Amino acid sequence: MPTAILTGPPVPDSSVEAQLRSLGFEVVRAADGSEVAARLTEAPEGERVAVVDTRFVGHLHALRLALTDPRFPLAAVSGAVTARPAGRRDLARAVASPAASGSGLPDVLADALADGGAEVHRPELGSLVAAVADEPRARDEARRSVAAVDEEAVRLRASVKSRDGFFTTFCVSPYSRHVARWCARRGLTPNQVTTASLVTAVVAAGCAASATRGGYVAAGLLLLLSFVLDCADGQLARYALRYSTLGAWLDATFDRAKEYVFYAGLALGAARSGDDVWALALAAMALQTCRHAVDFAFTEAGRDAKNGVGAGAAAALSGRLDDIGWTVWARRMIVLPIGERWALIAVLTALTTPRVTFWVLLALSALAALYTTAGRVLRSTKRGPRRSERAAGVLADLTDSGPVAEALAGRLRGSRGLGRIAGGTAVALVGAVPLLVVAAVAGHGSPLPAVLAACYAVTSAVVIARPLTGPLDWLVPPVFRAAEYGTVLALAAHAKVNGALPAAFGLVAAVAYHHYDTVYRLRGGSGAPPGWLVRAIGGQEGRVLAVAVLAASLTGAQFTLALTALAVAVASLVLVESIRFWVSAHQDGVPAVHDEGEPA
């Protein structure tokens, strides 16, 4: 149980002790800094500790925001400071410092922590009150301020993500937050709601696979319900401050799983009606994953760029457009975020056919990809080549390079001619574009794709032989994603055997999961997946070469079996390692990293 140390003289009619107990704290008292140090030592190891002024007057939710958020090692508001296990050593040092004396000890400790270089989170309270009142008159005034604010309304509004798409903001969040509150009051966890959302989407995919109009209508409605639950799980986490490492991972990966399982359901339904749209389903999955690769790589490349992300005319125009309210929502809709995308898929599924659904989705997704990528390229060309070693290392991890490229790159590093070769993105395109063209036009059994795949492995090695510090090198990971997914799609389509494209869909889904998992690990500061895993599944260039060689040397039926076996092997390895890692991280108390930025 977490411990709250109340410090200072008793205050008549104070409610702070009751507030702390309602938040799950065991409350103990300490008269001065030396007693606080003793109580801090007595508090159970591995538990949170808070130091709170007895004169605190404020909203319960203000204390909840400061004292219970699991994402921050240290946090404070006026009159209260807290430390998770990771921050207890810093708090103990602050308590032992000469400054830790006199009245107002929690605020003194918070200042001492900040002065000592520790990062102390101070939550945005808005209209919520958190104050230290010295005199009866000041306490009465603070209590009137507390009574004047509808705390529950503030808490409910704050449960909604601050930046979201139009459909989510205006068509879902107005009622999904009430669903979140209903779940909180019944003790449901965000992970349970996330799981319910996944189950609902799987049922929706099953309805789509029925190939009946009633099934398609039910699939569309259930997909919308799944999205409502998808919004509610994050709102529940913010409402109840029940963030977790495992929850962040489940929320992110289940979003992708739900969408791609639904694609598979649509393709199965179309097949039952005699229409093969597996190629369109795979293309939609590949395009969406490449779009996310652009988002992730650009964000990581610019996270600590010395020239800043917002340089240039493109950023200036964006800033001017922000002053025109409707353009903000229009630009958010153009990028086809998850809310708009799922609403589009649900409506088209209910009213049209799977083929129409996929073609419209591909067209709008391509437009969104062109819009976002063009804007980011314009920004990058004005930013200059200065990028930190950390950002270059992250981009290198995102390339997912395997043993073939790494071995060749090791031989190339230090070569005099390497410095005269064009930037990483240009070299990546030189390898990827011919490969995709040849894979698209060469028939099954042709050796040409295998030859181009070997050349592609060489260009991949050239790309990673140098640090990815160029202004456009953030495009390298999405180019590699497009090359791999597109090659698998083209070669499977040329096999002209029932089951080849579904097997390719499964392989790309397994690889895409690995790529998303890499991003989520990097976002959390845990580093890329272990090297043995990347080597075991071949790396992106190794998988491209393997699939191309298999397509050249096997019959269509044999190639289908080989793709299936490869999909099962990759999925088994990456899923087992991913689950092991995230469960371990959750048990070890690694801070959760939840996406509060761009809508997915």
Side-chain angles (χ1 to χ4, degrees), residues 3-11 14-18 20-21 26-32 35-36 39 50-56 63 79 105-106:
T3 301
I5 305 170
L6 274 178
T7 178
V11 175
S14 173
S15 61
V16 66
E17 184 171 349
L20 292 169
R21 293 188 188 280
E26 178 184 0
V27 180
V28 298
R29 292 183 174 271
D32 52 27
E35 286 195 24
V36 170
R39 297 288 185 267
V51 181
V52 183
D53 199 312
T54 55
R55 299 167 298 169
F56 175 87
L63 279 177
L105 184 57

Side-chain angles (χ1 to χ4, degrees), residues 97-470:
S97 67
S101 60
S103 61
L105 184 57
D107 293 336
V108 170
L109 293 176
D111 292 339
L113 286 166
D115 292 342
E119 186 173 349
V120 181
H121 171 67
R122 293 184 179 272
E124 291 287 340
L125 297 182
S127 58
L128 297 176
V129 176
V132 175
D134 293 321
E135 301 176 352
R137 179 178 297 178
R139 283 195 292 275
D140 290 340
E141 185 175 338
R143 286 167 180 161
R144 285 194 293 271
S145 298
V146 170
V149 175
D150 187 342
E151 179 179 6
E152 180 59 22
V154 172
R155 185 182 178 189
L156 200 57
R157 283 196 303 270
S159 69
V160 177
K161 188 186 291 187
S162 59
R163 179 181 173 85
D164 226 326
F166 180 89
F167 179 78
T168 305
T169 300
F170 295 104
C171 301
V172 178
S173 291
Y175 57 89
S176 63
R177 56 187 171 184
H178 295 285
V179 174
R181 179 171 62 182
W182 183 90
C183 293
R185 290 177 174 176
R186 282 152 184 81
L188 297 176
T189 68
N191 290 354
Q192 290 171 329
V193 179
T194 301
T195 303
S197 176
L198 174 65
V199 171
T200 304
V202 171
V203 174
C207 292
S210 69
T212 64
R213 178 51 52 195
Y216 288 141
V217 172
L221 293 174
L222 286 170
L223 189 65
L224 290 176
L225 175 59
S226 175
F227 183 66
V228 171
L229 294 174
D230 180 60
C231 294
D233 64 0
Q235 291 162 356
L236 173 58
R238 287 181 284 273
Y239 181 85
L241 296 183
R242 297 194 65 169
Y243 301 101
S244 70
T245 303
L246 186 62
W249 170 65
L250 289 176
D251 183 50
T253 55
F254 280 11
D255 278 351
R256 306 286 77 80
K258 287 179 288 189
E259 188 168 357
Y260 298 160
V261 164
F262 194 80
Y263 290 174
L266 283 175
L268 287 170
R272 295 186 66 179
S273 301
D275 188 14
D276 188 350
V277 297
W278 276 106
L280 296 179
L282 203 165
M285 178 172 63
L287 179 55
Q288 186 58 39
T289 306
C290 289
R291 284 188 58 203
H292 282 140
V294 169
D295 296 340
F296 298 146
F298 177 79
T299 300
E300 290 302 327
R303 190 177 297 280
D304 50 6
K306 295 180 181 178
N307 287 357
V309 174
L317 175 61
S318 179
R320 288 195 296 271
L321 289 174
D322 285 342
D323 296 331
I324 307 174
W326 66 269
T327 66
V328 174
W329 294 113
R331 283 180 290 148
R332 291 189 189 181
M333 293 174 69
I334 288 174
V335 302
L336 205 64
I338 188 170
E340 276 74 359
R341 196 165 64 249
W342 282 28
L344 174 73
I345 295 169
V347 171
L348 290 175
T349 297
L351 301 180
T352 66
T353 65
R355 180 171 291 273
V356 171
T357 301
F358 281 125
W359 275 119
V360 173
L361 178 63
L362 283 166
L364 294 181
S365 295
L367 176 64
L370 180 64
Y371 170 79
T372 55
T373 305
R376 287 166 177 175
V377 167
L378 289 174
R379 288 177 180 237
S380 298
T381 55
K382 299 295 184 180
R383 192 186 304 166
R386 290 181 291 172
R387 180 170 293 127
S388 72
E389 292 183 5
R390 185 211 65 83
V394 169
L395 291 179
D397 290 332
L398 290 174
T399 63
D400 189 32
S401 299
V404 176
E406 288 290 352
L408 292 173
R411 293 180 175 272
L412 290 171
R413 291 188 181 103
S415 171
R416 293 181 179 179
L418 189 62
R420 295 192 292 269
I421 298 177
T425 300
V427 177
L429 289 170
V430 166
V433 173
L435 171 64
L436 288 171
V437 171
V438 170
V441 300
H444 182 74
S446 170
L448 290 179
V451 173
L452 269 294
C455 296
Y456 172 76
V458 174
T459 57
S460 297
V462 174
V463 170
I464 66 171
R466 294 179 302 179
L468 297 174
T469 55

Side-chain angles (χ1 to χ4, degrees), residues 486-513:
T487 299
V488 174
L489 168 58
L491 295 178
H494 283 306
K496 299 186 183 304
V497 173
N498 286 336
L501 281 168
F505 185 95
L507 175 59
V508 171
V511 173
Y513 176 88

